[in-house]
Amino acid sequence: MEKLILLLLKCIVFCCTVEAVFEDQVGKFDWRQQYVGKVRFAHFDTHVQSSKKVIVGTENNVFAALNTRTGELFWRHVDKSGPEGNIDALLQHGQDAVLVVGNGRLLRSWEMNVGGLNWEVVLDSGSFQAACLVGQQDIVKHVAVLKKTAISLHYLSNGHQKWIENLPESETVDYQTVYSGGNGEVYALGVVSHSHIAIVAYSLEDGEIIKQISVEAPWLSNIQASCAVVGQGTLTCVDSATVSLYMLDLHAESQMTQIPLQSLGLEVTPGFHPVLVSTQPNAARQPLSEFFLQLGPEHHLLLQLNDGQIVTLRDFKPAMLASFATTGEKTVAAVMSPKNKTACSLNLFSAETGRRLLDTTLIFNMDPNGGKPEKLYVQAFLKKDDSVGYRVMVQTEDHTLTFIQQPGRVMWTREEALSDVVTMEMVDLPLTGTQAELEGEFGKKADGLMSMVLKRLSSQLILLQAWIAHLWKLFYDARKPRSQVKNDVTIENLSRDEFNLQKMMVMVTASGKLFGIDSKTGSILWRHYLDNIPSNAAFKLMVQRTTAHFPHPPQCTLLIKDKDTGLAALHVFNPIFGKKSHITPPALPQPILQSLMLPLMDQDYAKVLLLVDDQYKVSAFPSTKNVLQQLQEMASSIFFYLVDSSQGRLSGYRLRTDLSTELIWEVIIPTEVQRIVSVKGKRPNEHVHSQGRVMGDRSVLYKYLNPNLLAVVTESTDLHQERSFVGILLIDGVTGRIIHEAVQRKTRGPVHVVHSENWVVYEYWSTKSRRNEFSVIELYEGMELYNSTVFSSLDRPHAPQVLQQSYIFPSSISTMEATLTEKGITSRHLLIGLPSGGILSLPKMFLDPRRPEIVSEQSREENLIPYAPELLIRTEWFINYNQTVSRVRGIYTAPSGLESTCLVVAYGLDIYQTRVYPSKQFDVLKDDYDYMLISSVLFALFFATMISKRLAEVKLLNRAWR
């Protein structure tokens, strides 16, 4: 009996785990791209000469291994977001990588081949400063971690702590770096700003203080930015104020030696802070005596410390970037110099002599639509003739990684800016020339009947020619091997498909780089980098003109706003080709408070963008006479709102005929009690198919479809779990009337909101029950429709009926959005991004406030699901099956030409695109539709009809002769 029960349980488990898409559908309508983010640390795997790995630690708290041949991920570990998962240091020894994570909270060791965790230890509390490998007698066995008040030594084999010591005078001394030269001592170096340097030497064996000295340095404030250890333990610093090098022997001397740069014939570029770059190839040995000194943005020197004297080995000017690399016992210096405006050259030099190595020139062609080179990571290796070869990974300002080998062949490129997408839009692809010609028949006025006939014949000939060319291409490609058939998508061959399923995805990233991506394949078709973007900029992307207005090109406008100053700028471009528009956007000298797209169009079919500055003055783009005249005529019907969350103010304004503004309503939310978290309106491209719901008794409950309704979410400022709450206000954006107000007590955020049709769904955390909950609000006008033709916020005498219900959700969520279709006929689904990386498609019918607790005949007639407080997560609801989307931040939905199909893009650390069918594919034949069978049946019926007809005629003829 027990075996039977166990077998039954196994069958249930297996049945639950096989829910998935069919194998032949994987990757057919969807794709995923994985990223790591902007690289902070990078180390090539030098343990084996033929290794193909580069280990990276990024600012997105990602630790990963990339294939140096293809750029693809070998493995990836995504840590917690925020300071808790921040990678503070990355050290490499052999096949192990040691990480310090979370401001010195954790020390981890990873095995680099498969990305497995060797060990993890929790470090003592304290702010992290630095870490280094510690070796002795050519063997590295320890790692030292320097905190604000203590230094500890750990074994590399298991992470166990060997010793920990408090730092002397840590209240006044700012200890910033740690150093070990393989002589059995560990040095902690600190500074008292503009006073002196504190040096403490610890014994490797027991942590006993061997030496403690203080050296005057009134010019020094930051050791990590100004100093480096060179040669036999000599601390070398550079100061821009005194224009001098300072040297201190950590083993013997007690005062610093000053060497003016002028005595070496050197000069610092005005306004530039000099930088020192040294290298220590082996942690169990002293650093090299050679080091780089950067004196300007394009000026580097290779210097050597020889018996206390500084010797200039080579002067590199111009030189943008310089880096050291080691292979075996050879150390080389790689220097990148500008060749012209579009290319740079890299060369290898001997680190010991500064002599240029022959046949090491490499050309790096800069992308005119990308950023300048920012970092250089060099992979050096020994060739068969014992000469040094190298490959290089270049990181640019736009976070792009480019891997190059000699003589300049780009092996791969990774656009890591796409790991931080902030906003996006989908734009319809343009018509082909043939389609445009055919459309032109209906848009142009013909001279007469004969002219229209001739135009139709010419269009049909063009279509026939295109069809024959397509058939010939298919026949020609069929004769080639499959590997030689190219199906690359380019801008030139992009055109709208039959059902408008293929679109252009325009993505804006936090680094200021814009991308045009084909939604069908995920190929990047164009890219454009915007210079001088503020680090805290906010972006708003708007489509002013689509591809529907041929021959006018489509037009997008990107509003870039500095969050600190409020100053903004406009970037106008063509979303299909990525080229900057010839239209000059207006200058915006005043901070911008609000921007809104009006349904008005200029003579070129571009929608009007209205901008409101801090003086409440309005400017329009484009601002032609035609547009200004339309604005004056429609000024009385143009309303907008402003939100000031710091003061808890929500204000409504109206546009006057002289294009000034008038305050018409204001809602004040007391900031000492609660704060405004978000304000959510309805999407302007959303369509509602049905105005009401048919009840069980065949009556109609009409929806309250207010296009001006705003959902304002607030949170309490008191975070105590007994007094915290989440509130939601439904406010009419034209009149300021509060339609409904709801409060969930003993709850807190983060709150995620979806506002669509006549309903609002929001999710929050219940501190009382310690769980995530959904609340849904639906608004209805009642059994009678007040105005069936047009909705007016100024003419609404009756308040709507409000229904509300709450549900328990078994997981926290990252983001939420509703599906969108062309006509709004298809059922709505909520697309929920989970922290686990899954994208859940939850039918809106499960979040219906009319779900009855007790089932009645009428509720059965309406197909209402009986109320159950728990919402279960079904495996078949995941639209991305096993394609995990890490740290999903947003979900974008767009309609297609098929009413049953909604296009979905989920973006975060990864990007995932797919299609969803909330009401199944009711307007498309299935993939396994049996065309042969139905064709055979039709042909058989046709012949049977013809034969039956002939037999009937013969029968009638025979009957007539009788």
Side-chain angles (χ1 to χ4, degrees):
M1 186 65 183
E2 290 180 358
K3 291 183 178 179
L4 185 63
I5 293 173
L6 186 62
L7 182 62
L8 184 63
L9 287 173
K10 286 182 179 179
C11 291
I12 293 172
V13 169
F14 288 146
C15 289
C16 293
T17 56
V18 296
E19 299 281 359
V21 294
F22 292 107
E23 185 179 359
D24 60 342
Q25 291 180 319
V26 173
K28 187 174 182 179
F29 304 119
D30 64 336
W31 50 263
R32 179 184 64 166
Q33 294 174 353
Q34 293 182 299
Y35 299 96
V36 295
K38 184 181 180 181
V39 173
R40 179 184 291 174
F41 308 102
H43 295 285
F44 289 96
D45 184 7
T46 57
H47 186 261
V48 181
Q49 179 80 9
S50 59
S51 176
K52 300 178 183 179
K53 292 187 186 68
V54 55
I55 311 299
V56 295
T58 72
E59 294 185 359
N60 295 59
N61 304 349
V62 175
F63 175 54
L66 303 178
N67 188 331
T68 57
R69 301 295 188 268
T70 63
E72 296 177 354
L73 289 170
F74 275 123
W75 47 261
R76 182 182 69 170
H77 296 288
V78 181
D79 214 323
K80 297 179 181 178
S81 58
E84 195 175 355
N86 184 58
I87 299 177
D88 303 313
L90 172 58
L91 308 172
Q92 179 195 356
H93 175 65
Q95 289 188 330
D96 296 333
V98 179
L99 273 74
V100 183
V101 179
N103 196 20
R105 185 175 58 91
L106 295 171
L107 183 66
R108 291 177 178 149
S109 173
W110 297 88
E111 202 276 331
M112 294 196 300
N113 282 333
V114 296
L117 183 66
N118 292 327
W119 49 262
E120 176 185 271
V121 294
V122 179
L123 300 175
D124 291 345
S125 61
S127 178
F128 174 79
Q129 297 296 312
C132 76
L133 296 173
V134 180
Q136 193 175 18
Q137 298 177 355
D138 286 347
I139 300 175
V140 179
K141 291 184 177 181
H142 305 92
V143 57
V145 179
L146 180 69
K147 295 287 192 76
K148 197 76 174 176
T149 59
I151 182 172
S152 59
L153 195 72
H154 301 261
Y155 291 99
L156 274 179
S157 57
N158 52 24
H160 292 171
Q161 182 177 289
K162 185 174 184 179
W163 51 258
I164 182 171
E165 296 293 337
N166 292 324
L167 295 167
E169 302 176 0
S170 58
E171 297 84 6
T172 57
V173 178
D174 182 16
Y175 289 93
Q176 296 179 351
T177 189
V178 62
Y179 159 76
S180 176
N183 58 352
E185 297 177 358
V186 181
Y187 292 86
L189 308 178
V191 63
V192 177
S193 184
H194 301 293
S195 177
H196 62 271
I197 297 176
I199 301 171
V200 184
Y202 293 89
S203 170
L204 180 62
E205 296 302 324
D206 53 9
E208 183 183 353
I209 296 179
I210 299 173
K211 180 173 60 175
Q212 180 179 352
I213 60 174
S214 178
V215 181
E216 294 295 323
W219 44 268
L220 185 62
S221 60
N222 192 323
I223 294 179
Q224 290 181 334
S226 304
C227 303
V229 179
V230 178
Q232 304 296 318
T234 302
L235 181 66
T236 306
C237 302
V238 62
D239 178 45
S240 57
T242 59
V243 197
S244 300
L245 282 172
Y246 293 87
M247 301 173 63
L248 173 68
D249 190 338
L250 296 177
H251 305 297
E253 297 180 12
S254 59
Q255 78 177 55
M256 303 195 86
T257 304
Q258 181 179 0
I259 303 176
L261 293 177
Q262 191 174 2
S263 65
L264 301 174
L266 306 177
E267 187 176 344
V268 181
T269 303
F272 184 81
H273 183 75
V275 179
L276 289 171
V277 179
S278 65
T279 181
Q280 187 178 5
N282 190 339
R285 298 180 186 176
Q286 300 284 359
L288 293 186
S289 300
E290 294 77 27
F291 61 97
F292 276 111
L293 172 62
Q294 185 178 3
L295 297 177
E298 293 189 356
H299 188 193
H300 289 74
L301 289 106
L302 182 60
L303 305 178
Q304 185 182 56
L305 178 63
N306 190 359
D307 294 332
Q309 301 296 319
I310 298 292
V311 179
T312 302
L313 296 179
R314 195 165 185 122
D315 189 344
F316 301 100
K317 190 176 183 180
M320 304 164 64
L321 297 171
S323 177
F324 287 106
T326 301
T327 174
E329 296 295 325
K330 294 184 179 181
T331 300
V332 293
V335 179
M336 175 183 280
S337 304
K339 187 176 182 182
N340 50 48
K341 291 184 178 180
T342 61
C344 298
S345 64
L346 279 93
N347 287 281
L348 282 191
F349 299 85
S350 170
E352 296 179 357
T353 63
R355 181 177 56 84
R356 189 171 75 89
L357 303 182
L358 298 176
D359 300 327
T360 59
T361 302
L362 185 149
I363 304 300
F364 171 59
N365 293 310
M366 291 187 292
D367 186 357
N369 296 316
K372 296 179 181 178
E374 192 176 50
K375 287 185 181 179
L376 205 61
Y377 303 101
V378 180
Q379 180 188 25
F381 56 90
L382 291 176
K383 298 180 180 178
K384 293 181 178 180
D385 59 357
D386 207 34
S387 61
V388 179
Y390 73 110
R391 303 181 187 94
V392 63
M393 186 170 71
V394 182
Q395 182 177 352
T396 52
E397 293 173 339
D398 55 349
H399 306 174
T400 301
L401 291 178
T402 306
F403 199 83
I404 315 166
Q405 72 174 16
Q406 289 179 280
R409 185 170 70 90
V410 176
M411 298 181 67
W412 50 263
T413 300
R414 290 183 62 92
E415 294 287 356
E416 293 301 335
L418 286 169
S419 66
D420 203 359
V421 175
V422 290
T423 184
M424 68 164 290
E425 288 287 344
M426 273 191 173
V427 181
D428 292 346
L429 293 176
L431 299 171
T432 62
T434 307
Q435 292 171 332
E437 185 69 26
L438 193 61
E439 291 285 338
E441 291 183 33
F442 308 99
K444 298 175 184 177
K445 294 181 179 179
D447 295 334
L449 181 62
M450 196 63 188
S451 175
M452 292 180 68
V453 171
L454 291 175
K455 190 175 288 293
R456 169 52 61 91
L457 289 175
S458 64
S459 299
Q460 296 298 327
L461 283 173
I462 293 172
L463 286 173
L464 180 62
Q465 184 181 2
W467 183 66
I468 293 173
H470 177 66
L471 287 180
W472 172 251
K473 184 178 182 302
L474 290 177
F475 175 72
Y476 186 72
D477 288 343
R479 299 169 60 191
K480 292 182 180 180
R482 188 181 295 270
S483 59
Q484 294 182 13
V485 178
K486 293 184 178 180
N487 294 317
D488 295 338
V489 178
T490 62
I491 293 180
E492 287 73 20
N493 62 21
L494 267 183
S495 60
R496 193 179 308 175
D497 61 304
E498 188 177 1
F499 299 119
N500 201 14
L501 294 168
Q502 186 177 6
K503 295 176 183 280
M504 177 68 77
M505 295 164 45
V506 182
M507 289 189 158
V508 182
T509 63
S511 65
K513 195 167 187 180
L514 280 63
F515 292 90
I517 301 176
D518 176 31
S519 66
K520 184 178 181 180
T521 62
S523 305
I524 297 175
L525 301 176
W526 59 262
R527 52 181 70 81
H528 184 74
Y529 179 60
L530 302 175
D531 294 324
N532 303 320
I533 298 296
S535 58
N536 61 341
F539 300 89
K540 185 176 182 180
L541 182 62
M542 295 155 284
V543 181
Q544 281 192 285
R545 184 169 55 225
T546 65
T547 53
H549 305 288
F550 184 83
H552 299 288
Q555 178 177 310
C556 278
T557 299
L558 178 65
L559 177 67
I560 308 162
K561 179 180 175 181
D562 191 322
K563 291 182 180 179
D564 293 336
T565 63
L567 295 174
L570 294 176
H571 176 68
V572 186
F573 63 99
N574 185 323
I576 302 300
F577 301 101
K579 295 179 180 178
K580 190 174 181 180
S581 175
H582 65 278
I583 301 173
T584 304
L588 305 174
Q590 297 293 330
I592 298 299
L593 299 180
Q594 179 68 289
S595 63
L596 58 152
M597 192 77 73
L598 299 180
L600 308 178
M601 289 186 180
D602 67 354
Q603 63 273 16
D604 295 331
Y605 304 101
K607 289 185 179 179
V608 178
L609 176 63
L610 211 62
L611 301 168
V612 185
D613 61 22
D614 61 344
Q615 302 298 320
Y616 303 104
K617 293 181 180 178
V618 172
S619 58
F621 171 66
S623 57
T624 60
K625 288 184 180 180
N626 181 25
V627 169
L628 295 177
Q629 184 179 353
Q630 290 186 69
L631 282 175
Q632 289 175 352
E633 293 173 356
M634 296 188 63
S636 59
S637 61
I638 296 176
F639 299 82
F640 62 92
Y641 67 93
L642 298 176
V643 181
D644 187 351
S645 56
S646 61
Q647 298 184 12
R649 182 183 291 113
L650 193 68
S651 310
Y653 291 83
R654 182 178 65 186
L655 192 65
R656 292 174 175 168
T657 53
D658 59 351
L659 300 187
S660 60
T661 58
E662 177 187 3
L663 178 66
I664 56 175
W665 61 266
E666 192 173 56
V667 175
I668 303 294
I669 295 174
T671 54
E672 62 273 8
V673 178
Q674 55 187 329
R675 57 189 176 88
I676 298 175
V677 176
S678 65
V679 179
K680 191 94 170 181
K682 296 180 182 179
R683 290 178 287 188
N685 59 341
E686 185 177 270
H687 294 278
V688 180
H689 178 258
S690 176
Q691 286 188 321
R693 292 182 60 169
V694 180
M695 310 291 284
D697 57 358
R698 295 296 184 269
S699 61
V700 178
L701 184 62
Y702 290 100
K703 299 174 183 177
Y704 180 76
L705 300 173
N706 186 349
N708 310 312
L709 195 65
L710 303 175
V712 182
V713 181
T714 63
E715 280 188 40
S716 62
T717 53
D718 191 343
L719 301 179
H720 191 277
Q721 66 175 16
E722 294 294 326
R723 297 185 293 273
S724 62
F725 63 88
V726 168
I728 186 163
L729 298 169
L730 299 182
I731 301 177
D732 191 303
V734 172
T735 63
R737 180 185 177 191
I738 298 178
I739 305 298
H740 179 66
E741 181 180 2
V743 176
Q744 267 71 35
R745 303 195 179 278
K746 298 182 182 179
T747 59
R748 60 176 174 83
V751 183
H752 300 89
V753 188
V754 170
H755 188 188
S756 178
E757 291 193 15
N758 66 319
W759 50 267
V760 178
V761 173
Y762 57 104
E763 184 266 351
Y764 50 86
W765 171 258
S766 172
T767 56
K768 178 183 178 181
S769 304
R770 301 183 63 81
R771 65 193 182 196
N772 292 278
E773 294 181 359
F774 273 105
S775 274
V776 55
I777 299 173
E778 287 193 3
L779 302 122
Y780 293 94
E781 288 197 23
M783 297 300 179
E784 293 182 2
L785 195 60
Y786 181 73
N787 190 336
S788 60
T789 56
V790 66
F791 187 96
S792 174
S793 295
L794 302 174
D795 184 24
R796 286 286 135 179
H798 305 296
Q801 300 177 12
V802 180
L803 302 176
Q804 185 166 0
Q805 210 167 54
S806 295
Y807 298 89
I808 302 167
F809 194 66
S811 169
S812 60
I813 73 172
S814 301
T815 187
M816 185 166 58
E817 190 53 273
T819 56
L820 187 65
T821 55
E822 192 172 29
K823 302 295 182 184
I825 302 172
T826 305
S827 303
R828 299 279 185 191
H829 277 207
L830 283 178
L831 300 174
I832 302 171
L834 303 180
S836 61
I839 309 295
L840 188 73
S841 182
L842 176 67
K844 169 62 177 62
M845 62 190 301
F846 285 92
L847 290 170
D848 190 341
R850 298 185 65 252
R851 286 177 60 178
E853 294 184 14
I854 301 174
V855 180
S856 64
E857 192 65 34
Q858 287 192 2
S859 64
R860 288 196 192 96
E861 190 73 21
E862 289 185 60
N863 290 325
L864 291 177
I865 304 171
Y867 177 74
E870 297 91 358
L871 288 173
L872 301 178
I873 297 179
R874 301 183 182 178
T875 53
E876 64 267 24
W877 285 352
F878 285 104
I879 64 173
N880 59 334
Y881 45 104
N882 65 345
Q883 302 293 307
T884 303
V885 184
S886 296
R887 289 198 198 142
V888 57
R889 286 190 308 275
I891 296 175
Y892 180 89
T893 57
S896 68
L898 293 172
E899 173 57 31
S900 65
T901 307
C902 173
L903 304 178
V904 178
V905 180
Y907 56 88
L909 186 63
D910 305 328
I911 297 176
Y912 178 73
Q913 194 275 338
T914 188
R915 306 173 188 172
V916 293
Y917 316 100
S919 299
K920 308 297 182 184
Q921 288 183 283
F922 57 83
D923 51 1
V924 178
L925 293 176
K926 293 183 179 180
D927 289 342
D928 57 352
Y929 185 78
D930 199 337
Y931 293 95
M932 290 297 296
L933 177 63
I934 196 69
S935 301
S936 303
V937 170
L938 287 174
F939 277 116
L941 288 173
F942 174 75
F943 287 117
T945 303
M946 298 300 294
I947 294 170
S948 300
K949 182 180 178 182
R950 178 61 183 163
L951 291 175
E953 291 175 351
V954 171
K955 185 176 180 181
L956 288 173
L957 183 63
N958 292 335
R959 185 182 296 174
W961 278 104
R962 288 177 184 173

